[in-house]
Amino acid sequence: MQEYDAIVVGSGISGGWAAKELCEKGLKTLVLERGPNVEHIKDYKTASMDPWEFKYHLANPMSDVAESPIQSRVYNQGSKHFFVNDSQHPYIQDTPFSWVRGYQVGGRSLTWGRQCYRWSDLDFEANAKDGHGVDWPIRYKDIAPWYDYVEQYIGVSGNLEGLPQLPDGKFLPPFDLNCVEADFAQKTKAKYKDRIVTIARVANLSRGWNGRGPCQSRNLCERGCPFSGYFSSNAATLPAAALTGNLTMIPNSVVVSLIWDAKKSKVTGVTVIDAETKQTREYFAKIIFLNASTINTAAILLRSVTKEHPNGIGNASGQVGKNLMDHFTFSGAKGEHPGLKDNYYQGRRAFGIYVPRFRNLGPDSMRTDYVRGFGYQGAGQRLGWNEKMGADDFGAGFKESISTPGPWEMILGTYGETLPNEKNGITFDKDKKDQWGLPILHISLEYGDNENAMRQDGIKTAVEMLEAAGMKNVSIMDYRNPPGSAVHEMGTARMGRDPKTSVLNEHNQLHEAKNVFITDGACMSSSGCQNPSLTYMALTARACDFAVSELKKMNL
Ligand SMILES: Cc1cc2nc3c(=O)[nH]c(=O)nc-3n(C[C@H](O)[C@H](O)[C@H](O)COP(=O)(O)OP(=O)(O)OC[C@H]3O[C@@H](n4cnc5c(N)ncnc54)[C@H](O)[C@@H]3O)c2cc1C
């Protein structure tokens, strides 16, 4: 029997960080990943293909929509191979829920949108103040140095704004706003004292950084970047872990459950099914990091049923699998800019603008109809650009049409906070099994009055802001895509102060098994309104530091 110092389950954004930190601190670390290997650059098979080189031009054929109705809403033919096939990985939607997944080495770090925003004490104190969910056992000061640490490694480009609700980070130089965004930013600043428009903070490298990049602004990130121009596990953390000589990576390993040793009264390893041969194996280690992503990590705990843990290891509180959250998006407004018609831009850019939260910050901004808040993500672009790109994106006529000055539009999309609610979560089907013999999941997440009131305010306020900046023909967007569509699912094994009402303590340790750490989105006690992955990375680096120091003290 080979025993490792550490096992990391999953190699996506948070698992890649756990692998790097543990390996660099000298631990012989085994990473178990359920999907196949994706080697940086070599396996980015579509990275430099032009639209006309794809059979359907990049568009998804109806057969894809039938086989993969959820994932095909997110991928195109250039990135399809980095998403699961829904038919092969079924789940049951008790209420509509889009579960967007990428099962491969690197997970969704290959396809993510790269927006990186810090949380503040506004977020860490929210549960305690308004009584939804349980109090976070940490505050901003506990995580701030770890935000510094991960930002300095991954490389986040952005502007310093000095806002308490969206703390500044250690940024690389920002990318530029385009002309309509700059105009919108200037007019917003003139009109509103309480809000700003800033360039999106993204893990795209505005200059060469740690041997990677710079970003070439190709806007093809979701295919994998041969220039290492954005942060992914494959480009950054996994190679760093491998460089130490301490990493063992075994792809195609579906982790089923934790192994409980009743004599030692502790978790000693994990059980795995080989994704291809379907054979069962066991691996053992002193500490275990679960980073299989929010829903899969909760499923591993719920499958870890023992005599001592009839509801699954870590689940004495009954909270595992509950409190599932996702940001609500796809609502807002857009409007036409009446000027700037002598401007056009060439080339591409992989992101747009951000309007940080300005609701419920203090006495001047309190709402009576909802708690918490939202931010806007958006962009200024040539009017009708998306339609054009879809329908007619090659040839001399197309080239001329996009390089000729013309009208612009500005779009604002709401990213709103979802409250933790025990009713939202996952359970197992009693009869149905997947191809590995594991029970199929039921998922449900419904937005409540708070989210609905916030959504309406987000739409109304977007209209007001666009009109105040002089946009014409402003129209609302209210697509009401199912929860899950923001791909920010979190909350199914929350941190808390009390083992009776939470699953993890302030160090991301299971209250019930101190050598098991969870640092993916499952650990989140609330959802904030900022994109969450930067916080998962910072919590992971922090928990690794703690785990190794506890190991050295023989406390685990
Ligand atoms: C299109 C898109 C845009 C996004 N944009 C942003 C953004 O702008 N900003 C942001 O913060 N976030 C964004 N996200 C979300 C972001 O990708 C996730 O928050 C992040 O990847 C979560 O990291 P993770 O480590 O928890 O999970 P993942 O990155 O999903 O990795 C989990 C890994 O675990 C593996 N795994 C699962 N189950 C098992 C098992 N039983 N055994 C072994 N391995 C297992 C999976 O195969 C996978 O490799 C976006 C996601 C998508 C798809």
Side-chain angles (χ1 to χ4, degrees), residues 332-336 387 409-412 466 473-477:
K334 60 182 178 176
E336 295 172 25
E387 293 77 0
E409 65 183 343
M410 186 73 216
I411 301 170
L412 292 180
L466 291 169
N473 299 323
V474 174
S475 57
I476 69 160
M477 301 184 297

Side-chain angles (χ1 to χ4, degrees), residues 51 79-80 126 220-221 232-233 275 307 362 434:
S79 57
K80 171 183 172 178
L220 298 174
C221 311
S232 68
S233 304
K307 198 154 67 64
D434 68 12

Side-chain angles (χ1 to χ4, degrees), residues 293-311:
S293 76
T294 300
I295 291 176
N296 280 313
T297 284
I300 292 171
L301 293 179
L302 292 173
R303 289 195 295 256
S304 302
V305 172
T306 72
K307 198 154 67 64
E308 299 80 359
H309 308 92
N311 299 320

Side-chain angles (χ1 to χ4, degrees), residues 9-15 32-35 74 83 100 102-104 106-109 111-115 253-255 291-294 296 300 303 487-488 520-521 531-534 536:
V9 180
S11 62
I13 288 188
S14 63
L32 295 166
E33 165 54 54
R34 72 173 294 158
V74 185
F83 291 83
V100 177
Y103 289 167
Q104 63 257 326
R108 291 174 295 180
S109 77
T111 55
W112 71 312
R114 308 162 308 283
Q115 305 241 2
S253 304
V254 182
V255 172
N291 296 94
S293 76
T294 300
N296 280 313
I300 292 171
R303 289 195 295 256
V487 206
H488 294 165
D520 58 21
N531 306 51
S533 304
L534 181 74
Y536 308 165

Side-chain angles (χ1 to χ4, degrees), residues 303-509:
R303 289 195 295 256
S304 302
V305 172
T306 72
K307 198 154 67 64
E308 299 80 359
H309 308 92
N311 299 320
I313 294 174
N315 195 20
S317 65
Q319 291 296 324
V320 173
K322 295 185 175 166
N323 307 298
L324 179 63
M325 300 169 275
D326 180 43
H327 293 137
F328 68 84
T329 53
F330 302 96
S331 59
K334 60 182 178 176
E336 295 172 25
H337 195 290
L340 303 168
K341 288 186 183 149
D342 53 343
N343 277 274
Y344 63 92
Y345 59 81
Q346 291 172 314
R348 309 177 179 111
R349 200 186 44 169
F351 35 79
I353 56 108
Y354 191 65
V355 180
R357 175 175 158 183
F358 49 88
R359 294 293 196 222
N360 292 326
L361 301 182
D364 295 342
S365 60
M366 294 315 279
R367 302 281 305 185
T368 51
D369 51 346
Y370 63 85
V371 296
R372 319 273 173 120
F374 62 87
Y376 288 121
Q377 294 181 21
Q381 61 186 23
R382 290 287 301 279
L383 185 66
W385 184 270
N386 286 341
E387 293 77 0
K388 226 180 250 197
M389 293 298 271
D392 191 22
D393 56 353
F394 68 95
F398 173 72
K399 229 166 155 181
E400 198 177 327
S401 78
I402 59 170
S403 53
T404 306
W408 292 83
E409 65 183 343
M410 186 73 216
I411 301 170
L412 292 180
T414 315
Y415 273 68
E417 176 156 5
T418 304
L419 295 176
N421 182 339
E422 283 191 24
K423 285 192 205 139
N424 295 326
I426 63 165
T427 52
F428 290 138
D429 193 87
K430 289 196 179 62
D431 305 312
K432 296 196 182 93
K433 301 252 161 65
D434 68 12
Q435 55 176 304
W436 297 278
L438 303 177
I440 285 183
L441 286 170
H442 287 251
I443 306 182
S444 75
L445 200 180
E446 283 183 293
Y447 296 140
D449 293 345
N450 201 67
E451 289 83 10
N452 287 329
M454 200 191 295
R455 198 188 81 250
Q456 280 162 20
D457 181 39
I459 295 170
K460 187 168 157 277
T461 307
V463 170
E464 278 167 19
M465 287 176 67
L466 291 169
E467 287 180 342
M471 306 292 162
K472 304 292 176 209
N473 299 323
V474 174
S475 57
I476 69 160
M477 301 184 297
D478 192 9
Y479 298 121
R480 306 208 188 178
N481 287 18
S485 302
V487 206
H488 294 165
E489 74 280 1
M490 54 186 131
T492 49
R494 66 189 180 189
M495 294 169 77
R497 297 174 191 274
D498 183 352
K500 289 200 193 74
T501 56
S502 63
V503 181
L504 302 167
N505 70 11
E506 72 273 30
H507 301 294
N508 296 76
Q509 290 171 290

